[in-house]
Amino acid sequence: MSEQLAFTRTGINLASQFPEWVTVDSRPGYQGWLIKTDHLIDVATAIRDQYGYDYLSSITGVDYFPDNLMEVVYHFYKSTGGGLLECKVQLTREHPSLPTLTGLFKGAEFQEREVWDLFGIEFANHPDLRRILLWDGFAGFPLRKDWKETFFEEELKPFKNRWPEGKIERIEDQKPFKENVQYPAGFNPYDWDTQSDARLYDLLRKVQQPQEGIKTDRVIVNLGPQHPSTHGVFRMAAVLDGETIVGLKPVVGYLHRNHEKIGERNTFLQNIPFTDRLDYISSMSNNFGYVLAVEKMMGVQPTERADYLRVIMAEFTRISSHVMSIGFLLNDLGAFFTPALYTLEERELIIDLFEIVSGSRMMCNYFRFGGVARDLPEGALEKIRDLAFERLPRKIDEIDRYLTKNEIIQERCEGVGVLTPEEAINYSVSGPILRASGVPYDIRRADPYSVYERFDFDVITAVHGDVYDRYMVRLQEIRQSLRIIQQAVNNLPEGPILNGKPTYQVKVPAGEGYGRVESPKGELGYYLVSNGKSNPWRYHVRAPSFVNITSLEKMCIGEKIADAVIILGSIDIVLGEVDR
């Protein structure tokens, strides 16, 4: 029965083709296929080449402590659209190891490093298996269930000393140094020497691209992390031949706060406002993906009016994010702040609306399981109509008129940072970057959710895959978002905004779930595992900003050092989402 269900969901039966290597995941509440470790590459090759699942979206780990069991979970999709193919590899907790998939999917590189960093699962033959979010002296693997932080109080929230005991105390006040830091056994700061940068520079020195013209010494230059052009505490270590980039490695993790560990301490409901803190420009979209995942697991459907309100808020979020991206790309090009201030004015009007609707401008905490937190207050619908039908179409036309044919923008952006369609798919990039490379993949169309199938809109693509096309895709997507909002407003149904009564606690049935949305940055996904209680056993965020920078080196090689800044700007990262 389980095998038949897995076949029905995808149209393929891996167990019949690989009876010795693959079995169906028959655990209640789970789906997909279990693959034997030694044959992962063989099965993954068939998944890509034979069945057409050429897009490796997500990789994450799960620790089932105290059982001697860990899992690595893979989510595959077709770049032509369709549903999820989920595969898993099960490992023991002692020295877990499995083959890397970077030889098949380059988009696996950073995600495998993340699993190694946080779970201690080794990926054999990985080209650069270093810690990625934590410093190399970090003690332990923090997403293992038996790992405890210095500020550990209890396993799950609400902490008993808060409720019901009502004590006012903070764990940091009970620690002598008031720092949530652990050091390895025998650590001595006077004789400790970091190996991370040494390994990073060794990797960069191995670049063997041939030199042309005058022979010069190659030098390594660090851009960031304390530099305004890197859009936050983000670092690029680049190898230069003159002014040409011949090698580049992104360095992240400076803002890492173990978002997922905190999310596993929280209740399911507490995580809704916690998602606001990821891409803090796009809190409504962050809420959207998370509640979809939980609703799938609970078997809950939002009300029709709530679905329309969700779409309206998500599309305003897309507009807000894209206008900021356009404004600050112009900053990166040297048009300091004038275009950015024009675009920020439009964003301010949108977050005025968010404040009216949710009570908050940025951390909106608006979505709920089965609906939204509150209905539109008096005057909100009129403001939505004014923005969607009058103000924003006019202002987007102005931005288009002022910027699109500007000869400096065209000269600096056209042909720079090119990513071909095949490369974009293989690097697992998503959102405007993928579509600018000519791949018409938008989750709202490719794997529809909510009520998006009811709306008439175009999936915007381009053909060159360069910085200029990414700008153009975002500009045109704003117009498509306005089309969606206009249709949603004109057809907004009456009725309740929540399925059932408001609740302060939910228990999610045991099992797993994956919810994803087309956020402004790309595919934002949440993989959840529940043990039937009020707190998630596993809470993973498939962050588009993090996955998209896997392709940064590929886009930068052969370009000038000044172009690295605008290539990074065209990816449109938010460090809260990259580092989590």
Side-chain angles (χ1 to χ4, degrees), residues 3 6 13-16 18-26 31-36 86-88 90:
E3 187 172 313
N13 191 334
L14 293 177
S16 64
F18 306 105
E20 303 296 323
W21 303 347
V22 179
T23 57
V24 70
D25 190 346
S26 58
Q31 63 171 310
W33 307 94
L34 300 175
I35 303 173
K36 289 189 176 181
E86 182 173 293
C87 298
K88 309 180 184 82
Q90 295 188 331

mmCIF file with all atom_site columns, all heavy atoms in Angstrom, residues 3 6 13-16 18-26 31-36 86-88 90:
data_model
loop_
_atom_site.group_PDB
_atom_site.id
_atom_site.type_symbol
_atom_site.label_atom_id
_atom_site.label_alt_id
_atom_site.label_comp_id
_atom_site.label_asym_id
_atom_site.label_entity_id
_atom_site.label_seq_id
_atom_site.pdbx_PDB_ins_code
_atom_site.Cartn_x
_atom_site.Cartn_y
_atom_site.Cartn_z
_atom_site.occupancy
_atom_site.B_iso_or_equiv
_atom_site.pdbx_formal_charge
_atom_site.auth_seq_id
_atom_site.auth_comp_id
_atom_site.auth_asym_id
_atom_site.auth_atom_id
_atom_site.pdbx_PDB_model_num
ATOM 1   N N   . GLU A 1 3  ? 3.970  1.495  -0.975  1.00 0.00 ? 3  GLU A N   1
ATOM 2   C CA  . GLU A 1 3  ? 4.677  1.571  -2.257  1.00 0.00 ? 3  GLU A CA  1
ATOM 3   C C   . GLU A 1 3  ? 3.761  2.108  -3.339  1.00 0.00 ? 3  GLU A C   1
ATOM 4   O O   . GLU A 1 3  ? 4.172  2.922  -4.174  1.00 0.00 ? 3  GLU A O   1
ATOM 5   C CB  . GLU A 1 3  ? 5.205  0.190  -2.622  1.00 0.00 ? 3  GLU A CB  1
ATOM 6   C CG  . GLU A 1 3  ? 6.099  0.183  -3.844  1.00 0.00 ? 3  GLU A CG  1
ATOM 7   C CD  . GLU A 1 3  ? 6.744  -1.169 -4.055  1.00 0.00 ? 3  GLU A CD  1
ATOM 8   O OE1 . GLU A 1 3  ? 7.277  -1.725 -3.073  1.00 0.00 ? 3  GLU A OE1 1
ATOM 9   O OE2 . GLU A 1 3  ? 6.714  -1.663 -5.185  1.00 0.00 ? 3  GLU A OE2 1
ATOM 10  N N   . ALA A 1 6  ? 3.412  5.878  -2.839  1.00 0.00 ? 6  ALA A N   1
ATOM 11  C CA  . ALA A 1 6  ? 4.602  6.579  -3.312  1.00 0.00 ? 6  ALA A CA  1
ATOM 12  C C   . ALA A 1 6  ? 4.619  6.644  -4.834  1.00 0.00 ? 6  ALA A C   1
ATOM 13  O O   . ALA A 1 6  ? 4.998  7.649  -5.427  1.00 0.00 ? 6  ALA A O   1
ATOM 14  C CB  . ALA A 1 6  ? 5.862  5.894  -2.792  1.00 0.00 ? 6  ALA A CB  1
ATOM 15  N N   . ASN A 1 13 ? 8.317  4.216  -9.702  1.00 0.00 ? 13 ASN A N   1
ATOM 16  C CA  . ASN A 1 13 ? 8.467  3.229  -8.636  1.00 0.00 ? 13 ASN A CA  1
ATOM 17  C C   . ASN A 1 13 ? 9.936  2.829  -8.570  1.00 0.00 ? 13 ASN A C   1
ATOM 18  O O   . ASN A 1 13 ? 10.394 1.935  -9.289  1.00 0.00 ? 13 ASN A O   1
ATOM 19  C CB  . ASN A 1 13 ? 7.576  2.013  -8.900  1.00 0.00 ? 13 ASN A CB  1
ATOM 20  C CG  . ASN A 1 13 ? 7.491  1.098  -7.695  1.00 0.00 ? 13 ASN A CG  1
ATOM 21  O OD1 . ASN A 1 13 ? 8.400  1.068  -6.866  1.00 0.00 ? 13 ASN A OD1 1
ATOM 22  N ND2 . ASN A 1 13 ? 6.407  0.361  -7.599  1.00 0.00 ? 13 ASN A ND2 1
ATOM 23  N N   . LEU A 1 14 ? 10.661 3.500  -7.705  1.00 0.00 ? 14 LEU A N   1
ATOM 24  C CA  . LEU A 1 14 ? 12.084 3.223  -7.580  1.00 0.00 ? 14 LEU A CA  1
ATOM 25  C C   . LEU A 1 14 ? 12.334 1.830  -7.018  1.00 0.00 ? 14 LEU A C   1
ATOM 26  O O   . LEU A 1 14 ? 13.335 1.185  -7.350  1.00 0.00 ? 14 LEU A O   1
ATOM 27  C CB  . LEU A 1 14 ? 12.745 4.273  -6.685  1.00 0.00 ? 14 LEU A CB  1
ATOM 28  C CG  . LEU A 1 14 ? 12.808 5.703  -7.220  1.00 0.00 ? 14 LEU A CG  1
ATOM 29  C CD1 . LEU A 1 14 ? 13.416 6.641  -6.179  1.00 0.00 ? 14 LEU A CD1 1
ATOM 30  C CD2 . LEU A 1 14 ? 13.625 5.771  -8.504  1.00 0.00 ? 14 LEU A CD2 1
ATOM 31  N N   . ALA A 1 15 ? 11.422 1.351  -6.167  1.00 0.00 ? 15 ALA A N   1
ATOM 32  C CA  . ALA A 1 15 ? 11.628 0.046  -5.543  1.00 0.00 ? 15 ALA A CA  1
ATOM 33  C C   . ALA A 1 15 ? 11.561 -1.092 -6.570  1.00 0.00 ? 15 ALA A C   1
ATOM 34  O O   . ALA A 1 15 ? 12.244 -2.106 -6.435  1.00 0.00 ? 15 ALA A O   1
ATOM 35  C CB  . ALA A 1 15 ? 10.602 -0.170 -4.442  1.00 0.00 ? 15 ALA A CB  1
ATOM 36  N N   . SER A 1 16 ? 10.732 -0.915 -7.607  1.00 0.00 ? 16 SER A N   1
ATOM 37  C CA  . SER A 1 16 ? 10.654 -1.969 -8.632  1.00 0.00 ? 16 SER A CA  1
ATOM 38  C C   . SER A 1 16 ? 11.882 -1.965 -9.527  1.00 0.00 ? 16 SER A C   1
ATOM 39  O O   . SER A 1 16 ? 12.317 -3.013 -10.005 1.00 0.00 ? 16 SER A O   1
ATOM 40  C CB  . SER A 1 16 ? 9.389  -1.794 -9.473  1.00 0.00 ? 16 SER A CB  1
ATOM 41  O OG  . SER A 1 16 ? 9.436  -0.573 -10.200 1.00 0.00 ? 16 SER A OG  1
ATOM 42  N N   . PHE A 1 18 ? 14.965 -0.754 -8.524  1.00 0.00 ? 18 PHE A N   1
ATOM 43  C CA  . PHE A 1 18 ? 16.136 -1.057 -7.693  1.00 0.00 ? 18 PHE A CA  1
ATOM 44  C C   . PHE A 1 18 ? 15.690 -1.833 -6.450  1.00 0.00 ? 18 PHE A C   1
ATOM 45  O O   . PHE A 1 18 ? 15.764 -1.329 -5.320  1.00 0.00 ? 18 PHE A O   1
ATOM 46  C CB  . PHE A 1 18 ? 16.835 0.236  -7.274  1.00 0.00 ? 18 PHE A CB  1
ATOM 47  C CG  . PHE A 1 18 ? 17.214 1.147  -8.407  1.00 0.00 ? 18 PHE A CG  1
ATOM 48  C CD1 . PHE A 1 18 ? 16.491 2.304  -8.668  1.00 0.00 ? 18 PHE A CD1 1
ATOM 49  C CD2 . PHE A 1 18 ? 18.300 0.849  -9.224  1.00 0.00 ? 18 PHE A CD2 1
ATOM 50  C CE1 . PHE A 1 18 ? 16.852 3.164  -9.697  1.00 0.00 ? 18 PHE A CE1 1
ATOM 51  C CE2 . PHE A 1 18 ? 18.662 1.691  -10.267 1.00 0.00 ? 18 PHE A CE2 1
ATOM 52  C CZ  . PHE A 1 18 ? 17.930 2.846  -10.522 1.00 0.00 ? 18 PHE A CZ  1
ATOM 53  N N   . PRO A 1 19 ? 15.212 -3.060 -6.615  1.00 0.00 ? 19 PRO A N   1
ATOM 54  C CA  . PRO A 1 19 ? 14.624 -3.780 -5.473  1.00 0.00 ? 19 PRO A CA  1
ATOM 55  C C   . PRO A 1 19 ? 15.614 -4.066 -4.353  1.00 0.00 ? 19 PRO A C   1
ATOM 56  O O   . PRO A 1 19 ? 15.203 -4.213 -3.199  1.00 0.00 ? 19 PRO A O   1
ATOM 57  C CB  . PRO A 1 19 ? 14.098 -5.081 -6.102  1.00 0.00 ? 19 PRO A CB  1
ATOM 58  C CG  . PRO A 1 19 ? 14.884 -5.237 -7.366  1.00 0.00 ? 19 PRO A CG  1
ATOM 59  C CD  . PRO A 1 19 ? 15.168 -3.856 -7.850  1.00 0.00 ? 19 PRO A CD  1
ATOM 60  N N   . GLU A 1 20 ? 16.899 -4.152 -4.673  1.00 0.00 ? 20 GLU A N   1
ATOM 61  C CA  . GLU A 1 20 ? 17.896 -4.429 -3.640  1.00 0.00 ? 20 GLU A CA  1
ATOM 62  C C   . GLU A 1 20 ? 18.415 -3.156 -2.975  1.00 0.00 ? 20 GLU A C   1
ATOM 63  O O   . GLU A 1 20 ? 19.048 -3.240 -1.926  1.00 0.00 ? 20 GLU A O   1
ATOM 64  C CB  . GLU A 1 20 ? 19.078 -5.196 -4.259  1.00 0.00 ? 20 GLU A CB  1
ATOM 65  C CG  . GLU A 1 20 ? 18.698 -6.488 -4.942  1.00 0.00 ? 20 GLU A CG  1
ATOM 66  C CD  . GLU A 1 20 ? 18.127 -7.495 -3.958  1.00 0.00 ? 20 GLU A CD  1
ATOM 67  O OE1 . GLU A 1 20 ? 18.612 -7.552 -2.816  1.00 0.00 ? 20 GLU A OE1 1
ATOM 68  O OE2 . GLU A 1 20 ? 17.179 -8.214 -4.337  1.00 0.00 ? 20 GLU A OE2 1
ATOM 69  N N   . TRP A 1 21 ? 18.155 -2.022 -3.596  1.00 0.00 ? 21 TRP A N   1
ATOM 70  C CA  . TRP A 1 21 ? 18.748 -0.773 -3.115  1.00 0.00 ? 21 TRP A CA  1
ATOM 71  C C   . TRP A 1 21 ? 17.738 0.188  -2.505  1.00 0.00 ? 21 TRP A C   1
ATOM 72  O O   . TRP A 1 21 ? 18.108 1.047  -1.699  1.00 0.00 ? 21 TRP A O   1
ATOM 73  C CB  . TRP A 1 21 ? 19.447 -0.038 -4.270  1.00 0.00 ? 21 TRP A CB  1
ATOM 74  C CG  . TRP A 1 21 ? 20.494 -0.821 -4.978  1.00 0.00 ? 21 TRP A CG  1
ATOM 75  C CD1 . TRP A 1 21 ? 21.072 -1.999 -4.574  1.00 0.00 ? 21 TRP A CD1 1
ATOM 76  C CD2 . TRP A 1 21 ? 21.111 -0.503 -6.230  1.00 0.00 ? 21 TRP A CD2 1
ATOM 77  N NE1 . TRP A 1 21 ? 22.004 -2.430 -5.488  1.00 0.00 ? 21 TRP A NE1 1
ATOM 78  C CE2 . TRP A 1 21 ? 22.046 -1.518 -6.515  1.00 0.00 ? 21 TRP A CE2 1
ATOM 79  C CE3 . TRP A 1 21 ? 20.965 0.550  -7.134  1.00 0.00 ? 21 TRP A CE3 1
ATOM 80  C CZ2 . TRP A 1 21 ? 22.824 -1.513 -7.667  1.00 0.00 ? 21 TRP A CZ2 1
ATOM 81  C CZ3 . TRP A 1 21 ? 21.744 0.559  -8.277  1.00 0.00 ? 21 TRP A CZ3 1
ATOM 82  C CH2 . TRP A 1 21 ? 22.658 -0.463 -8.543  1.00 0.00 ? 21 TRP A CH2 1
ATOM 83  N N   . VAL A 1 22 ? 16.482 0.086  -2.917  1.00 0.00 ? 22 VAL A N   1
ATOM 84  C CA  . VAL A 1 22 ? 15.481 1.090  -2.544  1.00 0.00 ? 22 VAL A CA  1
ATOM 85  C C   . VAL A 1 22 ? 14.261 0.397  -1.942  1.00 0.00 ? 22 VAL A C   1
ATOM 86  O O   . VAL A 1 22 ? 13.787 -0.621 -2.469  1.00 0.00 ? 22 VAL A O   1
ATOM 87  C CB  . VAL A 1 22 ? 15.044 1.925  -3.777  1.00 0.00 ? 22 VAL A CB  1
ATOM 88  C CG1 . VAL A 1 22 ? 13.993 2.956  -3.371  1.00 0.00 ? 22 VAL A CG1 1
ATOM 89  C CG2 . VAL A 1 22 ? 16.245 2.613  -4.411  1.00 0.00 ? 22 VAL A CG2 1
ATOM 90  N N   . THR A 1 23 ? 13.758 0.977  -0.856  1.00 0.00 ? 23 THR A N   1
ATOM 91  C CA  . THR A 1 23 ? 12.483 0.539  -0.279  1.00 0.00 ? 23 THR A CA  1
ATOM 92  C C   . THR A 1 23 ? 11.621 1.771  -0.030  1.00 0.00 ? 23 THR A C   1
ATOM 93  O O   . THR A 1 23 ? 12.130 2.898  0.075   1.00 0.00 ? 23 THR A O   1
ATOM 94  C CB  . THR A 1 23 ? 12.682 -0.222 1.046   1.00 0.00 ? 23 THR A CB  1
ATOM 95  O OG1 . THR A 1 23 ? 13.394 0.623  1.966   1.00 0.00 ? 23 THR A OG1 1
ATOM 96  C CG2 . THR A 1 23 ? 13.439 -1.509 0.826   1.00 0.00 ? 23 THR A CG2 1
ATOM 97  N N   . VAL A 1 24 ? 10.317 1.568  0.076   1.00 0.00 ? 24 VAL A N   1
ATOM 98  C CA  . VAL A 1 24 ? 9.420  2.681  0.345   1.00 0.00 ? 24 VAL A CA  1
ATOM 99  C C   . VAL A 1 24 ? 9.494  3.029  1.825   1.00 0.00 ? 24 VAL A C   1
ATOM 100 O O   . VAL A 1 24 ? 9.712  2.156  2.678   1.00 0.00 ? 24 VAL A O   1
ATOM 101 C CB  . VAL A 1 24 ? 7.978  2.321  -0.075  1.00 0.00 ? 24 VAL A CB  1
ATOM 102 C CG1 . VAL A 1 24 ? 7.382  1.260  0.852   1.00 0.00 ? 24 VAL A CG1 1
ATOM 103 C CG2 . VAL A 1 24 ? 7.100  3.552  -0.107  1.00 0.00 ? 24 VAL A CG2 1
ATOM 104 N N   . ASP A 1 25 ? 9.367  4.296  2.142   1.00 0.00 ? 25 ASP A N   1
ATOM 105 C CA  . ASP A 1 25 ? 9.310  4.741  3.539   1.00 0.00 ? 25 ASP A CA  1
ATOM 106 C C   . ASP A 1 25 ? 7.885  4.518  4.043   1.00 0.00 ? 25 ASP A C   1
ATOM 107 O O   . ASP A 1 25 ? 6.976  5.305  3.743   1.00 0.00 ? 25 ASP A O   1
ATOM 108 C CB  . ASP A 1 25 ? 9.696  6.218  3.639   1.00 0.00 ? 25 ASP A CB  1
ATOM 109 C CG  . ASP A 1 25 ? 9.891  6.666  5.082   1.00 0.00 ? 25 ASP A CG  1
ATOM 110 O OD1 . ASP A 1 25 ? 9.471  5.927  5.998   1.00 0.00 ? 25 ASP A OD1 1
ATOM 111 O OD2 . ASP A 1 25 ? 10.463 7.750  5.301   1.00 0.00 ? 25 ASP A OD2 1
ATOM 112 N N   . SER A 1 26 ? 7.698  3.448  4.778   1.00 0.00 ? 26 SER A N   1
ATOM 113 C CA  . SER A 1 26 ? 6.349  3.037  5.186   1.00 0.00 ? 26 SER A CA  1
ATOM 114 C C   . SER A 1 26 ? 5.964  3.525  6.579   1.00 0.00 ? 26 SER A C   1
ATOM 115 O O   . SER A 1 26 ? 4.909  3.149  7.094   1.00 0.00 ? 26 SER A O   1
ATOM 116 C CB  . SER A 1 26 ? 6.246  1.508  5.135   1.00 0.00 ? 26 SER A CB  1
ATOM 117 O OG  . SER A 1 26 ? 7.220  0.914  5.986   1.00 0.00 ? 26 SER A OG  1
ATOM 118 N N   . GLN A 1 31 ? 6.691  9.794  3.699   1.00 0.00 ? 31 GLN A N   1
ATOM 119 C CA  . GLN A 1 31 ? 6.546  9.473  2.282   1.00 0.00 ? 31 GLN A CA  1
ATOM 120 C C   . GLN A 1 31 ? 7.925  9.275  1.679   1.00 0.00 ? 31 GLN A C   1
ATOM 121 O O   . GLN A 1 31 ? 8.947  9.441  2.346   1.00 0.00 ? 31 GLN A O   1
ATOM 122 C CB  . GLN A 1 31 ? 5.819  10.615 1.554   1.00 0.00 ? 31 GLN A CB  1
ATOM 123 C CG  . GLN A 1 31 ? 6.585  11.939 1.572   1.00 0.00 ? 31 GLN A CG  1
ATOM 124 C CD  . GLN A 1 31 ? 5.963  12.978 0.663   1.00 0.00 ? 31 GLN A CD  1
ATOM 125 O OE1 . GLN A 1 31 ? 5.689  12.720 -0.493  1.00 0.00 ? 31 GLN A OE1 1
ATOM 126 N NE2 . GLN A 1 31 ? 5.737  14.177 1.204   1.00 0.00 ? 31 GLN A NE2 1
ATOM 127 N N   . GLY A 1 32 ? 7.950  8.920  0.402   1.00 0.00 ? 32 GLY A N   1
ATOM 128 C CA  . GLY A 1 32 ? 9.215  8.846  -0.319  1.00 0.00 ? 32 GLY A CA  1
ATOM 129 C C   . GLY A 1 32 ? 9.877  7.486  -0.241  1.00 0.00 ? 32 GLY A C   1
ATOM 130 O O   . GLY A 1 32 ? 9.268  6.476  0.089   1.00 0.00 ? 32 GLY A O   1
ATOM 131 N N   . TRP A 1 33 ? 11.189 7.492  -0.537  1.00 0.00 ? 33 TRP A N   1
ATOM 132 C CA  . TRP A 1 33 ? 11.950 6.265  -0.719  1.00 0.00 ? 33 TRP A CA  1
ATOM 133 C C   . TRP A 1 33 ? 13.189 6.273  0.168   1.00 0.00 ? 33 TRP A C   1
ATOM 134 O O   . TRP A 1 33 ? 13.835 7.295  0.342   1.00 0.00 ? 33 TRP A O   1
ATOM 135 C CB  . TRP A 1 33 ? 12.377 6.120  -2.177  1.00 0.00 ? 33 TRP A CB  1
ATOM 136 C CG  . TRP A 1 33 ? 11.234 6.238  -3.137  1.00 0.00 ? 33 TRP A CG  1
ATOM 137 C CD1 . TRP A 1 33 ? 10.812 7.361  -3.789  1.00 0.00 ? 33 TRP A CD1 1
ATOM 138 C CD2 . TRP A 1 33 ? 10.347 5.191  -3.537  1.00 0.00 ? 33 TRP A CD2 1
ATOM 139 N NE1 . TRP A 1 33 ? 9.721  7.086  -4.567  1.00 0.00 ? 33 TRP A NE1 1
ATOM 140 C CE2 . TRP A 1 33 ? 9.406  5.762  -4.437  1.00 0.00 ? 33 TRP A CE2 1
ATOM 141 C CE3 . TRP A 1 33 ? 10.243 3.838  -3.230  1.00 0.00 ? 33 TRP A CE3 1
ATOM 142 C CZ2 . TRP A 1 33 ? 8.403  5.011  -5.025  1.00 0.00 ? 33 TRP A CZ2 1
ATOM 143 C CZ3 . TRP A 1 33 ? 9.240  3.094  -3.827  1.00 0.00 ? 33 TRP A CZ3 1
ATOM 144 C CH2 . TRP A 1 33 ? 8.329  3.671  -4.713  1.00 0.00 ? 33 TRP A CH2 1
ATOM 145 N N   . LEU A 1 34 ? 13.530 5.096  0.697   1.00 0.00 ? 34 LEU A N   1
ATOM 146 C CA  . LEU A 1 34 ? 14.749 4.902  1.475   1.00 0.00 ? 34 LEU A CA  1
ATOM 147 C C   . LEU A 1 34 ? 15.786 4.227  0.588   1.00 0.00 ? 34 LEU A C   1
ATOM 148 O O   . LEU A 1 34 ? 15.522 3.155  0.016   1.00 0.00 ? 34 LEU A O   1
ATOM 149 C CB  . LEU A 1 34 ? 14.467 4.037  2.706   1.00 0.00 ? 34 LEU A CB  1
ATOM 150 C CG  . LEU A 1 34 ? 13.434 4.580  3.698   1.00 0.00 ? 34 LEU A CG  1
ATOM 151 C CD1 . LEU A 1 34 ? 13.173 3.561  4.795   1.00 0.00 ? 34 LEU A CD1 1
ATOM 152 C CD2 . LEU A 1 34 ? 13.890 5.909  4.287   1.00 0.00 ? 34 LEU A CD2 1
ATOM 153 N N   . ILE A 1 35 ? 16.954 4.850  0.473   1.00 0.00 ? 35 ILE A N   1
ATOM 154 C CA  . ILE A 1 35 ? 18.005 4.369  -0.432  1.00 0.00 ? 35 ILE A CA  1
ATOM 155 C C   . ILE A 1 35 ? 19.188 3.885  0.399   1.00 0.00 ? 35 ILE A C   1
ATOM 156 O O   . ILE A 1 35 ? 19.594 4.541  1.361   1.00 0.00 ? 35 ILE A O   1
ATOM 157 C CB  . ILE A 1 35 ? 18.459 5.503  -1.381  1.00 0.00 ? 35 ILE A CB  1
ATOM 158 C CG1 . ILE A 1 35 ? 17.267 6.044  -2.168  1.00 0.00 ? 35 ILE A CG1 1
ATOM 159 C CG2 . ILE A 1 35 ? 19.551 5.006  -2.324  1.00 0.00 ? 35 ILE A CG2 1
ATOM 160 C CD1 . ILE A 1 35 ? 17.608 7.272  -3.008  1.00 0.00 ? 35 ILE A CD1 1
ATOM 161 N N   . LYS A 1 36 ? 19.732 2.749  0.022   1.00 0.00 ? 36 LYS A N   1
ATOM 162 C CA  . LYS A 1 36 ? 20.930 2.256  0.702   1.00 0.00 ? 36 LYS A CA  1
ATOM 163 C C   . LYS A 1 36 ? 22.113 3.165  0.377   1.00 0.00 ? 36 LYS A C   1
ATOM 164 O O   . LYS A 1 36 ? 22.298 3.595  -0.766  1.00 0.00 ? 36 LYS A O   1
ATOM 165 C CB  . LYS A 1 36 ? 21.217 0.819  0.283   1.00 0.00 ? 36 LYS A CB  1
ATOM 166 C CG  . LYS A 1 36 ? 20.211 -0.179 0.855   1.00 0.00 ? 36 LYS A CG  1
ATOM 167 C CD  . LYS A 1 36 ? 20.638 -1.613 0.602   1.00 0.00 ? 36 LYS A CD  1
ATOM 168 C CE  . LYS A 1 36 ? 19.663 -2.580 1.263   1.00 0.00 ? 36 LYS A CE  1
ATOM 169 N NZ  . LYS A 1 36 ? 20.051 -4.002 1.063   1.00 0.00 ? 36 LYS A NZ  1
ATOM 170 N N   . GLU A 1 86 ? 10.763 12.593 -2.935  1.00 0.00 ? 86 GLU A N   1
ATOM 171 C CA  . GLU A 1 86 ? 11.554 12.639 -1.705  1.00 0.00 ? 86 GLU A CA  1
ATOM 172 C C   . GLU A 1 86 ? 12.298 11.332 -1.505  1.00 0.00 ? 86 GLU A C   1
ATOM 173 O O   . GLU A 1 86 ? 11.715 10.249 -1.617  1.00 0.00 ? 86 GLU A O   1
ATOM 174 C CB  . GLU A 1 86 ? 10.640 12.911 -0.512  1.00 0.00 ? 86 GLU A CB  1
ATOM 175 C CG  . GLU A 1 86 ? 11.382 13.029 0.815   1.00 0.00 ? 86 GLU A CG  1
ATOM 176 C CD  . GLU A 1 86 ? 10.464 13.476 1.932   1.00 0.00 ? 86 GLU A CD  1
ATOM 177 O OE1 . GLU A 1 86 ? 9.999  14.627 1.896   1.00 0.00 ? 86 GLU A OE1 1
ATOM 178 O OE2 . GLU A 1 86 ? 10.207 12.659 2.850   1.00 0.00 ? 86 GLU A OE2 1
ATOM 179 N N   . CYS A 1 87 ? 13.585 11.453 -1.229  1.00 0.00 ? 87 CYS A N   1
ATOM 180 C CA  . CYS A 1 87 ? 14.422 10.284 -0.968  1.00 0.00 ? 87 CYS A CA  1
ATOM 181 C C   . CYS A 1 87 ? 15.205 10.509 0.319   1.00 0.00 ? 87 CYS A C   1
ATOM 182 O O   . CYS A 1 87 ? 15.509 11.646 0.681   1.00 0.00 ? 87 CYS A O   1
ATOM 183 C CB  . CYS A 1 87 ? 15.391 10.031 -2.125  1.00 0.00 ? 87 CYS A CB  1
ATOM 184 S SG  . CYS A 1 87 ? 14.594 9.664  -3.696  1.00 0.00 ? 87 CYS A SG  1
ATOM 185 N N   . LYS A 1 88 ? 15.539 9.403  0.987   1.00 0.00 ? 88 LYS A N   1
ATOM 186 C CA  . LYS A 1 88 ? 16.248 9.490  2.257   1.00 0.00 ? 88 LYS A CA  1
ATOM 187 C C   . LYS A 1 88 ? 17.325 8.415  2.316   1.00 0.00 ? 88 LYS A C   1
ATOM 188 O O   . LYS A 1 88 ? 17.176 7.329  1.739   1.00 0.00 ? 88 LYS A O   1
ATOM 189 C CB  . LYS A 1 88 ? 15.296 9.307  3.442   1.00 0.00 ? 88 LYS A CB  1
ATOM 190 C CG  . LYS A 1 88 ? 14.057 10.197 3.417   1.00 0.00 ? 88 LYS A CG  1
ATOM 191 C CD  . LYS A 1 88 ? 13.178 9.926  4.628   1.00 0.00 ? 88 LYS A CD  1
ATOM 192 C CE  . LYS A 1 88 ? 11.898 10.730 4.569   1.00 0.00 ? 88 LYS A CE  1
ATOM 193 N NZ  . LYS A 1 88 ? 10.887 10.091 3.708   1.00 0.00 ? 88 LYS A NZ  1
ATOM 194 N N   . GLN A 1 90 ? 19.440 6.497  5.430   1.00 0.00 ? 90 GLN A N   1
ATOM 195 C CA  . GLN A 1 90 ? 19.502 6.332  6.880   1.00 0.00 ? 90 GLN A CA  1
ATOM 196 C C   . GLN A 1 90 ? 20.893 5.872  7.286   1.00 0.00 ? 90 GLN A C   1
ATOM 197 O O   . GLN A 1 90 ? 21.512 5.035  6.620   1.00 0.00 ? 90 GLN A O   1
ATOM 198 C CB  . GLN A 1 90 ? 18.442 5.345  7.353   1.00 0.00 ? 90 GLN A CB  1
ATOM 199 C CG  . GLN A 1 90 ? 17.018 5.846  7.107   1.00 0.00 ? 90 GLN A CG  1
ATOM 200 C CD  . GLN A 1 90 ? 15.958 4.977  7.732   1.00 0.00 ? 90 GLN A CD  1
ATOM 201 O OE1 . GLN A 1 90 ? 16.143 3.762  7.898   1.00 0.00 ? 90 GLN A OE1 1
ATOM 202 N NE2 . GLN A 1 90 ? 14.822 5.572  8.080   1.00 0.00 ? 90 GLN A NE2 1
#
